[in-house]
């Protein structure tokens, strides 16, 4: 009797996949108002933090929580100026938990701690629209429901006080449930508001009351966490905390400053009439401003504009960490506050524009040889730093003045370089000036474009400095330590014409004498070729193309 053979191999499933496709076509065009109750398919909008059902047909029996919506993708809209609905470029959503609005409306205080100065000062101030969520629909707060805004539109840290209506719902679908939701939106240019650091609720402000204290203590802010309890205990308050240092303190005015202020007050009488009045009123009210330049008949872009006044301000760099020491700029909040202050004391027929200076950079390109014993790598960097300090003295000397307008000759910069104790000689020296975003190469003299311009140094990476040969005995020149970057040229159409004077300029070869900044935006026309401009009877600029090619 033979042995029983082994059972045959039984395969085991290692992996199994199942897939299917299904689709349904629903034509809502033929449905009536009563189709909602008999619907077989549901439409959902997917939001970043939730979803909601929508129905594309207005129906009397549609529950209020299901909105009538014909768009499949969600739209983030706010009611802008003039009651027009606009898409929001950026929004901040704030969820409130444990809020009881069943009995009545309640006031809410929010501390918005922002990185002050992080807003782009070159952008216009943007309004912040506050809204609350009701049945998955956003409703804007009315002006009566925003009791206070100490942030000036999220331009500085401060307290916002809102009246929360009792109609707010907490069982929404587009955002997590069991929370009441607020929204702060900006329609455009979100860079015009500061970056948010932290947000706190249940906030009050405390003000210092002098009780014969040492006046010198106001010179430094009160450190964070210095206040930990109430002076008089209250049973309803469980805990008190001070998460940030105090602000807004100022020492008593010295006698010398008092005499100056009174003398200036007797002259301008609290009214902005002359250029001197504008400048002194700003310096008196805003101690963080170091210098003011008032330009009459000028707006933000143009000069010779009747009925406009441009006020250019430079912040005080002492005891401050400037974001860009080569181009110091006041914050957008400071500019807005100055504009409001001047508008209250100036004529109603004057349009006031408060701006930062326009900075035009200067860079140097040359070959240099150092004395024996000086390390080339170290002193190349030191030379760039010294030139930057020479062109922008306020960067290292807090007492140095920042001058508007002005000019600087190439020979003056060359003399400064040659007088460095570690420099042996310099060859192939030239300076370039940045105008309208492009470099004007090898200028004899750098001249400010208009009265609101400050000449400053370029960034260290823009300098092009090489090491020159020492003598004819050198077998080959030393390699440049700083490689020369490609020449900066205009992007897009190369030529720009003045429609009023019919003169054509070359953006890759213009000079300060062209005064491109004086051409109004509505008088500029761009061309890709000279032939296109010639066909419209444009003449060539003598400074850009040479006098032999110009009819002027």
């Amino acid at each position: 009797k033979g042995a029983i053979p082994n059972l045959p191999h039984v395969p085991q499933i290692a992996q199994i996949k199942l897939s299917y496709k299904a689709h349904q076509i629903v034509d809502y065009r033929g449905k009536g108002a009563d189709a909602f109750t008999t619907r077989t398919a549901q439409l959902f909008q997917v939001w970043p933090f939730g979803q909601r059902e929508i129905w594309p047909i207005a129906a009397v029996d549609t529950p209020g929580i299901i909105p009538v919506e014909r768009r499949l993708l969600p739209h983030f809209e706010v009611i802008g100026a003039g009651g027009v609905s606009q898409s929001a470029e950026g929004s901040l959503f704030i969820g409130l938990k444990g809020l009881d609005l069943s009995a009545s409306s309640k006031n809410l205080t929010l501390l918005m701690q922002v990185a002050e100065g992080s807003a782009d000062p070159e952008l216009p101030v943007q309004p912040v629209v506050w809204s609350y969520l009701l049945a998955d629909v956003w409703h804007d707060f009315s002006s009566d429901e925003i009791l206070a805004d100490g942030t000036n539109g999220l331009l500085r840290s401060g307290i916002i006080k809102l009246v929360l209506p009792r109609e707010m719902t907490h069982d929404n679908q587009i955002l997590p449930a069991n929370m009441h939701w607020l929204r702060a939106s900006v329609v455009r240019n979100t860079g015009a508001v500061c970056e948010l650091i932290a947000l706190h609720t249940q906030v009050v402000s405390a003000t210092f009351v002098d009780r014969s204290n040492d006046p010198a203590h106001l010179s430094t802010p009160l450190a964070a966490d210095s206040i930990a309890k109430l002076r008089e205990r209250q049973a309803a308050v469980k805990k008190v905390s001070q998460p940030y240092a105090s602000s807004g303190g100022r020492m008593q005015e010295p006698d010398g400053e008092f005499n100056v202020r009174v003398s200036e007050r007797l002259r301008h009488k609290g009214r902005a009439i002359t250029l001197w009045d504008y400048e002194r009123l700003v310096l008196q009210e805003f101690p963080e401003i170091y210098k003011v330049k008032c330009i009459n008949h000028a707006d933000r872009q143009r000069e010779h504009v009747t009925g406009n006044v441009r006020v250019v301000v430079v912040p005080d760099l002492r005891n401050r960490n400037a974001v860009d020491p080569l181009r110091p700029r006041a914050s957008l909040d400071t500019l807005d506050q100055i504009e409001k202050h001047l508008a209250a004391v100036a004529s109603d027929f004057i349009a006031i524009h408060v701006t930062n200076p326009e900075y035009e950079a200067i860079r140097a390109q040359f070959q240099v040889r150092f004395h024996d014993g000086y390390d080339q790598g170290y002193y190349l960097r030191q030379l760039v730093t010294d030139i930057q300090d020479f062109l922008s003295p306020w960067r290292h000397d807090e007492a140095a003045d920042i001058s508007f307008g002005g000019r600087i000759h190439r020979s003056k910069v060359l003399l400064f370089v040659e007088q460095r104790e570690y420099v042996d000689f310099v060859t192939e020296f030239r300076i370039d000036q940045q105008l309208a975003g492009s470099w004007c190469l090898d200028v004899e003299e750098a001249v400010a474009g208009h009265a609101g311009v400050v000449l400053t140094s370029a960034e260290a990476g823009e300098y092009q400095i090489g090491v020159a040969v020492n003598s004819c005995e050198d077998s080959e020149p030393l390699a440049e330590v700083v490689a020369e970057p490609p020449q900066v040229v205009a992007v897009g159409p190369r030529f720009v014409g003045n429609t009023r004077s019919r003169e054509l300029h070359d953006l890759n070869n213009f000079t300060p004498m062209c005064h491109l900044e004086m051409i109004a935006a509505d008088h500029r026309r761009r061309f890709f070729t000279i032939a296109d401009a010639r066909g419209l009877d444009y003449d060539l600029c003598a400074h850009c193309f040479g006098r032999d090619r110009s009819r002027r």
Side-chain angles (χ1 to χ4, degrees), residues 1-114:
K1 186 176 180 180
I4 299 175
N6 295 331
L7 295 175
H9 175 69
V10 180
Q12 296 181 351
I13 298 176
Q15 185 179 20
I16 186 171
K17 292 183 178 180
L18 177 65
S19 64
Y20 74 97
K21 293 182 179 180
H23 71 278
Q24 180 181 5
I25 299 177
V26 180
D27 188 358
Y28 290 96
R29 293 174 298 180
K31 294 184 178 295
D34 58 345
F36 175 79
T37 56
T38 60
R39 69 190 188 282
T40 58
Q42 292 177 278
L43 289 177
F44 286 88
Q45 272 187 344
V46 179
W47 289 66
F49 306 102
Q51 65 281 325
R52 69 174 180 180
E53 184 182 0
I54 60 174
W55 184 250
I57 303 173
V60 295
D61 54 354
T62 303
I65 197 173
I66 300 179
V68 176
E69 176 63 70
R70 297 180 180 273
R71 296 172 295 194
L72 290 178
L73 297 178
H75 282 240
F76 302 89
E77 297 180 337
V78 296
I79 305 300
V84 179
S85 179
Q86 298 175 293
S87 297
E89 183 177 300
S91 297
L92 169 67
F93 298 95
I94 304 172
L96 304 173
K97 198 170 185 179
L99 186 63
D100 184 12
L101 295 175
S102 58
S104 62
S105 302
K106 290 187 177 180
N107 294 344
L108 174 70
T109 54
L110 295 173
L111 171 60
M112 312 288 288
Q113 189 70 21
V114 301

Side-chain angles (χ1 to χ4, degrees), residues 270-284:
R271 297 173 296 180
I273 299 177
T274 66
L275 302 183
W276 186 91
D277 297 340
Y278 282 89
E279 295 171 355
R280 292 308 182 277
L281 284 167
V282 173
L283 293 174
Q284 172 186 314

